[in-house]
Amino acid sequence: MNKKVIYVKNLVKKFDSFVANDNLSFEVSEGEIFGFLGANGAGKTTTIRILSGLSKPTSGEVKVAGFDAYTQAEQIKKNIGYMCQKFSLYEDLTVKENIVLYGGIYGMKKSLIKERLSDLLEKLHFQEYENRMISDLPLGLRQKLAFSVAVLHEPKIVFLDEPTGGVDPITRRQFWETIYETASRGITIFVTTHYMDEAEYCDRISIMNEGKIVALDTPEMLKKQYNVSSVEEVFIKIARP
Amino acid sequence: MIKAIEASGISKSFGATKALDNISFSVNESEIFGFIGPDGAGKTTLFRIITSLLIPDSGTMKVLGMDPITEYKELRKNIGYMPGRFSLYQDLSVEENLNFYATVFGTTVEENYELISDIYSHIEPFKKRLTGKLSGGMKQKLALSCALIHKPKLLVLDEPTTGVDAVSRSEFWDMLGKLKKHNITIIVSTPYMDEAIRCNRVALIQDGNILSVDTPQNVRTGFSRKLFTVKSAEKYKLIKTLRKNPEVLTAYPFGDSMHVTLIDGSTPDSLSKGLVREGINDAVVHEAEAGIEDRFLELMEKPQ
């Protein structure tokens, strides 16, 4: 777990005079599950947009999957996946159509898409759903599929935004098992969430406040450091504005 | 004790989907009663029936002693409802929204200011701001102020904390706790188990059925087996190994550890030994107290 897939050093992002990211430095390793936390408005979205090649830093060094955020944004985009709870799949397309569409967007060969499609349907026990509309699927199945689609092209890093919000406790745990399995294959998982019990599943977490990273460690070490029993309490102690 | 809500045999279907399947429960006056369950469990449908916005297919209900079907006009005057989707006027200012809701219910902000002062004082400095320009936490406080401005006897909050950060969530629950002294009954839904602890009683709801109704403490102690946490640096290997182990009855990931129950006759010691045989040498097994979520998982596994 030593190879760095995200390297951020002294990252600053300003919008006019507003400093959204104030001198951030952190690294994330291959296959690591990294939780990126912060209150609303702390600056997380700005960082994620930079890490996914959608926005350029004002200053500082940022490398994602070995590519430079200033000059190689297109290569970065090809090497990442993204899933958010609110929107990931087209509801009025079928399961198969979504997979074929995303495979095409990622620039995958037709033969490879076909292969991944059948692998995926088998792995998720999804065969009977192949030609069903996404809107007809229960939420739990949609989330599993959305995650599989986000890693369809075997990216180096996948960004997950509140991945398990609102699902039942069993489905949620199945989802985390899938995440562990994916991480064990060397794909880095970058999770943002408001729900601190999701943070407890991460290998390491960072907590952002007013554009700065104010804590970064394993959940266990942070709980020890603040002498509390949950990440939620850590968060409330240090992120209360 | 007088009941704020009494529901008996309530069912509601939408086409082939049974949103609520013959559910019964009662809510006491002045308690905070939580409905805890995932999206699609039936929480919103139930709240819409309670607030007289939807008519059930069968069953009977009394809300504040009134029938939501025949006495809806009187009932609505006594309910404050905060729907899951933010539904204030985004192009009115904070102050205009609050005045609007007060006027609709035939009252004034001044008349009931005391009730909302704790909550509204946080956003009052921004009262001229357009509601659409508020942060998530501020919108939530305004929505709660608007739901309370006519001094309702029953406050109905549908997933008030979804999408809100942990600090604002915690503050929100503190505010609900303070409303108790005004003798307002509160029913609140949430998909987040950790919020159960803030309620006087909770109903665990799944697939249109109520699995359990009790105090948060009793829900936890209802867990029927001994619970163990198992920790190892190799999380994924640990999951796979536990699943294969015949001594293991259930194994679920919970943050940085696994929550495990064992079959009768097995011990944590023999579990540890079994893990070592499979090459997991750093596993630490501890007995633990079950939480609400452990109990929820147990109830979900049991055939209905």
Side-chain angles (χ1 to χ4, degrees):
Chain A
M1 282 238 299
N2 281 321
K3 205 172 145 202
K4 303 294 173 209
V5 289
I6 296 178
Y7 176 81
V8 175
K9 179 112 183 156
N10 305 123
L11 165 64
V12 174
K13 177 70 183 183
K14 289 184 189 171
F15 296 101
D16 299 321
S17 62
F18 177 71
V19 185
N21 283 177
D22 189 359
N23 204 24
L24 307 185
S25 296
F26 63 94
E27 294 172 356
V28 185
S29 305
E30 189 177 88
E32 183 173 10
I33 303 173
F34 188 81
F36 196 61
L37 316 177
N40 295 324
K44 302 189 302 286
T45 306
T46 302
T47 316
I48 291 168
R49 286 179 58 82
I50 292 169
L51 295 179
S52 44
L54 297 172
S55 164
K56 288 197 171 35
T58 304
S59 64
E61 217 180 318
V62 178
K63 281 203 162 44
V64 179
F67 297 106
D68 183 272
Y70 294 90
T71 58
Q72 297 172 299
E74 290 312 307
Q75 281 96 322
I76 289 179
K77 287 178 200 167
K78 283 185 187 147
N79 283 283
I80 61 169
Y82 177 78
M83 173 198 162
C84 82
Q85 201 214 328
K86 288 184 194 79
F87 174 81
S88 276
L89 301 168
Y90 289 89
E91 296 212 346
D92 47 359
L93 295 183
T94 65
V95 169
K96 183 181 171 180
E97 286 165 342
N98 266 290
I99 293 172
V100 171
L101 173 71
Y102 276 98
I105 291 171
Y106 292 136
M108 291 162 61
K109 287 206 179 79
K110 270 192 183 154
S111 55
L112 183 62
I113 296 174
K114 219 175 146 188
E115 190 188 308
R116 292 272 163 82
L117 172 68
S118 65
D119 285 355
L120 230 164
L121 294 175
E122 198 191 312
K123 200 167 104 189
L124 298 175
H125 308 290
F126 249 54
Q127 286 94 336
E128 57 175 313
Y129 296 111
E130 182 173 355
N131 295 309
R132 291 266 285 275
M133 295 277 204
I134 298 298
S135 54
D136 294 339
L137 298 185
L139 183 71
L141 288 184
R142 271 193 231 189
Q143 290 194 331
K144 276 178 213 164
L145 183 66
F147 180 73
S148 303
V149 167
V151 295
L152 192 66
H153 55 306
E154 291 282 312
K156 297 271 190 323
I157 302 152
V158 59
F159 292 91
L160 306 177
D161 189 0
E162 281 183 24
T164 66
V167 303
D168 71 68
I170 289 185
T171 305
R172 177 168 207 213
R173 286 180 169 75
Q174 289 167 344
F175 192 88
W176 274 102
E177 287 184 25
T178 313
I179 291 179
Y180 288 142
E181 188 265 331
T182 306
S184 75
R185 285 194 279 127
I187 296 179
T188 299
I189 315 281
F190 195 95
V191 186
T192 58
T193 180
H194 283 319
Y195 294 95
M196 296 304 125
D197 48 351
E198 285 193 323
E200 306 264 1
Y201 289 88
C202 299
D203 295 322
R204 282 191 308 151
I205 54 177
S206 73
I207 301 179
M208 240 175 127
N209 192 21
E210 292 176 358
K212 291 188 170 76
I213 290 182
V214 289
L216 199 171
D217 213 323
T218 63
E220 197 174 356
M221 288 304 291
L222 286 176
K223 284 185 266 186
K224 242 180 225 162
Q225 189 187 334
Y226 287 90
N227 196 23
V228 291
S229 62
S230 70
V231 172
E232 169 126 19
E233 293 164 88
V234 175
F235 186 88
I236 288 175
K237 275 199 170 174
I238 60 184
R240 190 173 280 274
Chain B
M1 202 185 300
I2 310 161
K3 303 287 182 198
I5 303 176
E6 274 184 281
S8 169
I10 298 286
S11 292
K12 178 75 187 175
S13 294
F14 300 100
T17 309
K18 260 195 175 165
L20 293 173
D21 188 6
N22 193 26
I23 68 166
S24 305
F25 63 93
S26 63
V27 177
N28 299 326
E29 269 196 340
S30 307
E31 76 175 334
I32 301 181
F33 191 96
F35 286 91
I36 307 217
D39 291 358
K43 304 187 299 291
T44 298
T45 302
L46 179 61
F47 280 18
R48 291 176 64 82
I49 292 172
I50 292 169
T51 50
S52 82
L53 300 171
L54 203 62
I55 295 176
D57 299 335
S58 58
T60 57
M61 192 181 284
K62 288 267 183 211
V63 182
L64 304 172
M66 289 174 262
D67 182 332
I69 301 170
T70 57
E71 297 169 282
Y72 68 93
K73 280 189 180 165
E74 187 56 29
L75 177 60
R76 286 180 189 181
K77 289 179 197 160
N78 292 291
I79 292 181
Y81 176 41
M82 189 171 147
R85 183 179 291 220
F86 183 73
S87 55
L88 301 181
Y89 295 93
Q90 311 249 10
D91 49 358
L92 292 185
S93 70
V94 167
E95 187 178 48
E96 285 166 340
N97 261 307
L98 192 61
N99 278 323
F100 174 79
Y101 280 90
T103 311
V104 164
F105 283 101
T107 182
T108 60
V109 174
E110 293 71 32
E111 197 170 327
N112 294 322
Y113 187 80
E114 193 221 328
L115 185 60
I116 62 161
S117 63
D118 269 349
I119 304 155
Y120 189 62
S121 60
H122 295 248
I123 44 175
E124 209 162 12
F126 311 98
K127 63 183 178 187
K128 302 282 178 204
R129 192 178 286 187
L130 286 188
T131 300
K133 304 242 187 247
L134 296 178
S135 72
M138 282 158 77
K139 278 185 181 166
Q140 187 200 39
K141 290 185 181 99
L142 178 59
L144 183 59
S145 302
C146 290
L148 280 169
I149 196 58
H150 59 297
K151 210 169 184 192
K153 295 196 179 78
L154 174 67
L155 185 61
V156 180
L157 309 170
D158 193 3
E159 296 207 12
T161 56
T162 294
V164 179
D165 70 57
V167 175
S168 302
R169 278 168 72 203
S170 172
E171 283 174 358
F172 190 81
W173 281 100
D174 291 343
M175 290 186 282
L176 295 188
K178 284 186 193 157
L179 287 172
K180 244 186 119 85
K181 65 169 189 267
H182 296 283
N183 295 323
I184 296 173
T185 305
I186 301 175
I187 58 170
V188 53
S189 68
T190 174
Y192 298 98
M193 308 276 153
D194 55 346
E195 297 188 342
I197 203 80
R198 303 284 208 129
C199 302
N200 298 114
R201 287 193 305 148
V202 293
L204 302 182
I205 178 167
Q206 165 86 3
D207 290 333
N209 290 290
I210 290 180
L211 306 178
S212 162
V213 179
D214 218 324
T215 63
Q217 182 56 31
N218 286 346
V219 171
R220 285 166 17 136
T221 51
F223 193 77
S224 67
R225 293 189 165 261
K226 269 195 179 166
L227 185 75
F228 299 95
T229 61
V230 184
K231 239 185 202 182
S232 161
E234 295 178 86
K235 281 186 205 166
Y236 187 55
K237 189 174 174 190
L238 179 66
I239 294 173
K240 284 194 293 184
T241 311
L242 287 169
R243 292 251 184 279
K244 281 190 304 191
N245 190 322
E247 287 182 67
V248 172
L249 191 66
T250 61
Y252 292 111
F254 264 77
D256 59 0
S257 60
M258 295 289 292
H259 282 195
V260 173
T261 59
L262 301 174
I263 57 163
D264 293 334
S266 169
T267 63
D269 200 38
S270 68
L271 176 70
S272 296
K273 282 180 184 145
L275 289 173
V276 171
R277 274 198 300 279
E278 294 289 334
I280 298 179
N281 297 308
D282 68 338
V284 181
V285 183
H286 280 300
E287 192 168 337
E289 227 173 83
I292 301 262
E293 200 157 1
D294 293 297
R295 179 63 179 149
F296 200 119
L297 285 164
E298 186 181 38
L299 288 166
M300 279 179 78
E301 284 158 8
K302 287 205 176 127
Q304 301 288 315

